[in-house]
Amino acid sequence: MATPIKEWSKLEVRAVVRFLFSKGIKPSEIHKQIAETYGEGAMSRSRVYQWCTWFGEGRTSLGDEPKSGRPKTSTNEENTTRVDELIRCDRRMKIREIALKLKIPKSTVHEIVHDTLGYRKVSARWVPKMLTEDHKLQRVAISQHLLQRCPQDNGDEDTTHVGVGPGGDFQANNNLFDNLITGDKTWV
């Protein structure tokens, strides 16, 4: 017995069904040969019978027929732009509020916000999931600016910075980084 083929497509298996059916082989034998060649999960017995019926009725296409149903019209460029504008105006707006304001389904707003625009909620605010190139360049520029402001260890007396000390009082400090506060901007 031959080793089953591990990688196959639906169209490939359907083409084999069509070929064997055109040679006059019965559907039960076709299913047996497909199971031996492609493995048990390639196509069920009832599906082989279904395809044999279709090929017997004159079908030549191996692809899936177009599905009926409601077309996807809400997720378009206009709605994406409108959702993005609303989020940029008020980052605390909820998906339900956006859906009511724009009169589109909540599921569509959710898809636009998460999948198309790539936002996620952080501390009740919408923020981009990934940093854009502009965001990355801005962070590099700020970091370089801070490094330039940081005094070199050359004993300069005029590089003193004022900051809040441990007791809450203002103190002079020679190191800029002792006064630097970092954290998530939504926290601040």
Side-chain angles (χ1 to χ4, degrees):
M1 185 168 119
T3 305
I5 297 172
K6 293 184 181 188
E7 292 185 27
W8 44 265
S9 69
K10 291 191 306 185
L11 295 178
E12 178 183 350
V13 175
R14 291 173 185 173
V16 171
V17 171
R18 182 176 174 200
F19 173 76
L20 294 174
F21 182 74
S22 69
K23 295 193 94 146
I25 299 176
K26 295 183 185 218
S28 58
E29 180 61 28
I30 293 173
H31 179 261
K32 181 180 173 189
Q33 289 185 28
I34 286 177
E36 288 174 1
T37 307
Y38 293 101
E40 287 294 326
M43 188 180 280
S44 67
R45 180 182 305 271
S46 62
R47 207 49 148 160
V48 170
Y49 276 87
Q50 173 105 50
W51 278 100
C52 288
T53 302
W54 287 336
F55 292 138
E57 292 171 351
R59 179 173 176 169
T60 58
S61 170
L62 299 175
D64 293 327
E65 294 293 322
K67 305 257 193 284
S68 64
R70 188 171 151 197
K72 197 172 176 184
T73 59
S74 296
T75 307
N76 57 33
E77 190 65 36
E78 179 187 350
N79 285 340
T80 301
T81 303
R82 291 169 54 202
V83 168
D84 194 32
E85 287 171 359
L86 284 175
I87 288 175
R88 288 177 187 270
C89 289
D90 181 7
R91 291 198 181 266
R92 295 186 186 275
M93 188 173 277
K94 296 178 175 73
I95 285 183
R96 182 176 23 87
E97 295 168 346
I98 295 170
L100 287 172
K101 195 169 248 186
L102 297 179
K103 294 180 175 70
I104 57 177
K106 286 188 301 186
S107 59
T108 301
V109 174
H110 185 273
E111 181 182 329
I112 290 171
V113 169
H114 289 281
D115 300 338
T116 306
L117 296 175
Y119 285 112
R120 63 187 173 106
K121 276 280 195 174
V122 175
S123 299
R125 296 180 74 191
W126 291 110
V127 295
K129 283 185 185 176
M130 299 294 295
L131 292 176
T132 64
E133 284 301 315
D134 290 338
H135 292 136
K136 292 176 187 176
L137 291 173
Q138 187 179 23
R139 286 184 176 198
V140 169
I142 290 169
S143 298
Q144 288 174 339
H145 177 71
L146 286 172
L147 284 173
Q148 289 171 353
R149 288 191 56 198
C150 182
Q152 298 296 324
D153 191 15
N154 56 6
D156 289 346
E157 297 292 325
D158 58 358
T159 58
T160 302
H161 302 283
V162 177
V164 179
D169 55 338
F170 284 99
Q171 295 179 347
N173 189 343
N174 287 337
N175 189 355
L176 171 69
F177 289 111
D178 286 344
N179 298 320
L180 192 62
I181 299 172
T182 61
D184 187 353
K185 60 186 169 190
T186 58
W187 174 81
V188 174

